[in-house]
Amino acid sequence: MVLYPAAMWYRDIAPQPVKTAVRSFVRNIGEPVNALNSLLQGEPDQAADTVQRFIMNTTIGFLGFNDVAADFGIEYHSEDFGQTLGHYGIGGGPYIVLPLLGPSNLRDTTGIAVDYVANPMTWGSRNSDTLDNLYLGSLALTALDARYRTLNQLNELQQTSIDYYAALRSLYRQQRNAAIRNGADPSAPNFEDESASADFDDAVEAAAN
């Protein structure tokens, strides 16, 4: 009710340079959490790249509104604690739809809570009005950017799916498993197979019916 019309307005009104700058900013705000989770997943080189990106973009990139690190060939990596748990073989558990946040599961919901606590901005904003305003603004922009980037996919999915809920659930699982693998072969043994979660949800739906 809130994000969809806001995302439609953002798509139609905001010029592309503004969208690019917002996308770069919200990525930069999350870099400390990305770096921490890269370390937890045993990827120190990736963590170092992320720290380097954060320093460069925060300073000469004007708080991240310009992704100058990309111009130097430093690749962006998105990592969260849900991916970290999945990296170590912890299954997703039952599918959950969170208010405002959308599709998730028990593992990734736990990851959201841990990332919130681990984010330096969470604690810094409590001691500074400036940081507090910056943090709240970043949360709003992150939500707007995420909803904008999924407008076409979700609209198409809703129009073409017989069961939109089931289709979205399946798409979410595929996307999260791909994120956990970080491009690895889907048949690699060290990553989860969420068939157990699918069986759980199917059993719940069958019981409800």
Side-chain angles (χ1 to χ4, degrees):
M1 293 176 63
V2 176
L3 290 178
Y4 181 76
M8 292 288 287
W9 172 86
Y10 181 67
R11 182 194 66 181
D12 297 337
I13 302 298
Q16 188 56 48
V18 171
K19 293 175 182 144
T20 301
V22 168
R23 177 65 175 148
S24 178
F25 171 76
V26 300
R27 278 183 165 188
N28 190 62
I29 284 290
E31 292 287 36
V33 172
N34 292 338
L36 175 62
N37 282 292
S38 292
L39 277 177
L40 293 175
Q41 293 172 31
E43 298 285 352
D45 292 339
Q46 182 172 297
D49 286 346
T50 300
V51 171
Q52 189 175 2
R53 279 182 54 85
F54 180 69
I55 294 173
M56 293 178 64
N57 289 342
T58 301
T59 54
I60 60 178
F62 301 103
L63 295 180
F65 284 105
N66 294 297
D67 190 356
V68 295
D71 297 333
F72 287 89
I74 306 176
E75 186 179 356
Y76 172 76
H77 299 278
S78 177
E79 304 291 342
D80 57 62
F81 195 70
Q83 290 171 248
T84 299
L85 293 175
H87 175 81
Y88 290 104
I90 296 177
Y95 178 69
I96 302 171
V97 180
L98 299 173
L100 291 180
L101 299 180
S104 187
N105 56 41
L106 188 58
R107 179 199 61 213
D108 292 342
T109 300
T110 302
I112 291 172
V114 171
D115 286 337
Y116 173 79
V117 173
N119 192 337
M121 289 289 291
T122 301
W123 303 100
S125 63
R126 298 185 177 185
N127 302 314
S128 167
D129 290 339
T130 300
L131 280 179
D132 186 44
N133 292 332
L134 179 64
Y135 186 43
L136 292 176
S138 73
L139 292 178
L141 287 177
T142 298
L144 179 63
D145 175 70
R147 191 64 185 90
Y148 158 71
R149 289 185 294 106
T150 58
L151 272 176
N152 293 336
Q153 297 94 321
L154 292 183
N155 286 344
E156 182 178 353
L157 188 68
Q158 193 165 18
Q159 293 170 5
T160 59
S161 300
I162 298 175
D163 186 339
Y164 176 64
Y165 176 88
L168 186 59
R169 182 183 63 190
S170 176
L171 186 64
Y172 175 77
R173 286 186 175 133
Q174 293 175 43
Q175 186 272 332
R176 290 300 292 170
N177 284 334
I180 292 168
R181 289 194 299 267
N182 286 329
D185 185 345
S187 64
N190 292 329
F191 300 100
E192 71 171 307
D193 175 3
E194 293 210 30
S195 58
S197 299
D199 291 343
F200 178 90
D201 289 330
D202 291 341
V204 170
E205 289 181 8
N209 291 333

